Amino acid sequence: MAGGDGGETAAPGPAAPEGTARIGLTAAAAELLRLLRKEHGPLMFHQSGGCCDGSAPMCYPAGEFRTGSSDVLLARLGVEGVREPVDFWMSADQFARWRHTHLTVDVVPGRGSGFSLEAPEGVRFLIRSRLFTEEERAGLSG
C-alpha cells in the first residue's frame, strides 16, 4: 500500500451542510478502507487527540470503539466500493481545537503503536489539515 497521492474524496457529513466537508479521504486511504472492509466488515474511525498515536485516526470495526457524549461525529464517510458509510468520530476536546480546519485522512508507510486495523498492513492512517477558507467557513454549522 503506497502513501497518499494528495487527491481526496469529499465526504460531507451532518456537521458540514451546503456541500462543505469537514473531512475527506485521499485515494490511498479509500483503497485501504476497501481492503479493511473486506477483512473486518463495517468500519469506523475515532481520533482522541491524546499524545502519540492518540492524535492519529484509529480505525476499528464499526461499534467496537464505544463513543459517548464526549465524542463528536464529524462525518459519515462515503467510500466507493464500501456498502455503508465509515463514521468518523473525534473527541469533543480535540474538535474544539480543530473546528476551523478541513481534515484529510491519508495513509503513510510505517506502523503506529495503537490498535488500529491497518497496523498489520505496514501502514498507518494520518490526518493532514488546513484552515477552512472564508467561503467554506460560511457553509459550516457549529
Side-chain angles (χ1 to χ4, degrees):
M1 174 91 9
D5 62 4
E8 87 182 50
T9 303
E18 301 177 19
T20 299
R22 286 200 176 275
I23 190 161
L25 299 168
T26 63
E31 179 183 342
L32 180 56
L33 287 170
R34 285 188 287 276
L35 174 74
L36 294 174
R37 170 58 175 90
K38 285 179 187 174
E39 293 178 15
H40 302 282
L43 304 169
M44 69 178 287
F45 278 108
H46 187 270
Q47 185 164 335
S48 70
C51 71
C52 308
D53 276 352
S55 58
M58 305 291 277
C59 185
Y60 301 100
E64 188 160 307
F65 184 93
R66 287 195 168 182
T67 58
S69 61
S70 64
D71 295 303
V72 175
L73 178 62
L74 263 73
R76 304 195 79 212
L77 301 169
V79 180
E80 187 176 333
V82 174
R83 288 187 297 247
E84 62 285 312
V86 178
D87 290 351
F88 192 103
W89 293 85
M90 181 180 281
S91 71
D93 289 345
Q94 174 122 354
F95 178 67
R97 290 186 295 275
W98 286 27
R99 70 182 316 123
H100 302 293
T101 59
H102 178 272
L103 307 175
T104 301
V105 180
D106 199 358
V107 177
V108 294
R111 188 176 162 133
S113 61
F115 300 104
S116 196
L117 292 175
E118 80 280 5
E121 304 298 322
V123 294
R124 57 183 286 165
F125 286 110
L126 172 83
I127 288 291
R128 299 188 189 280
S129 65
R130 65 168 174 79
L131 290 174
F132 282 119
T133 65
E134 290 298 324
E135 183 179 79
E136 289 171 323
R137 211 177 341 246
L140 293 171
S141 68

